[in-house]
Amino acid sequence: MRTRRAGALAAINQEFLRALTGDAKPTSRGPANARATWTCLGFTDRLSDRYPICPPGSRVQRVHDFPGCWDGRNIDSDNHRSHVAFADDTTGACPQGFVAIPQLRITISYYIPRNVQLKGQYALDSFPEEDHNPFSDHNDFVNVNSAQTMQRIAACINKGKACR
């Protein structure tokens, strides 16, 4: 878990808090919730919303960042999104009425042969109507950590450490 926010995080003791990131169907529903982030192993400072062509020996990576702000009350919402929010990209601050929580990042590595990458012959999605759109991907999270574990995670992040 990580965070880019300024200030201390609240340790969430809310069991079963749910979060969603991305969108499995941004072509048919529109790109508002899409959060496509692709990169190559060893080049994570270079993020793209397109399928990358990685240098020889590097794996293709898909990065899923979850919201790192919570309304402090609800463990879920009708749309599975409005009870959590992303921090401001510039200031790192949560929107008014939200508190900073540990931000989950999931990075998935794929071994895709370089010749397949160069020919543009790879794509990820499971819905034909999405036409292999690099935006079409999502992840769900449900917090099943104990209060003690969440306290440890928040304390680690607040100390500026990389927490695993």
Side-chain angles (χ1 to χ4, degrees):
M1 292 189 177
R2 67 180 192 90
T3 185
R4 290 183 295 228
R5 257 168 305 299
L9 294 171
I12 55 171
N13 296 326
Q14 197 62 49
E15 206 172 21
F16 304 115
L17 175 69
R18 290 162 171 76
L20 175 67
T21 190
D23 192 334
K25 296 183 176 183
T27 302
S28 53
R29 288 194 277 234
N33 292 315
R35 299 193 62 83
T37 307
W38 295 91
T39 191
C40 300
L41 180 64
F43 297 88
T44 55
D45 59 329
R46 299 179 190 172
L47 300 174
S48 175
D49 61 1
R50 307 273 182 217
Y51 295 121
I53 297 172
C54 296
S58 180
R59 291 181 180 233
V60 171
Q61 292 189 319
R62 178 69 163 101
V63 179
H64 299 269
D65 285 326
F66 283 78
C69 302
W70 175 45
D71 70 8
R73 296 179 313 276
N74 300 296
I75 62 168
D76 200 1
S77 52
D78 289 343
N79 64 4
H80 308 297
R81 296 180 189 274
S82 58
H83 65 293
V84 290
F86 287 92
D88 182 271
D89 286 336
T90 305
T91 66
C94 286
Q96 177 107 19
F98 285 77
V99 295
I101 58 173
Q103 181 186 28
L104 175 64
R105 170 177 270 189
I106 296 176
T107 303
I108 303 168
S109 295
Y110 299 94
Y111 171 75
I112 300 171
R114 183 149 167 77
N115 64 324
V116 172
Q117 293 178 47
L118 290 169
K119 292 177 185 174
Q121 295 176 324
Y122 79 97
L124 302 171
D125 71 33
S126 59
F127 299 105
E129 65 273 16
E130 294 306 308
D131 197 28
H132 305 298
N133 185 341
F135 279 38
S136 65
D137 207 354
H138 78 287
N139 258 307
D140 299 271
F141 170 77
V142 178
N143 182 33
V144 294
N145 290 299
S146 67
Q148 181 181 11
T149 298
M150 290 309 299
Q151 291 286 348
R152 184 176 46 80
I153 291 167
C156 178
I157 292 171
N158 287 334
K159 290 178 184 170
K161 295 181 178 181
C163 308
R164 304 211 187 286

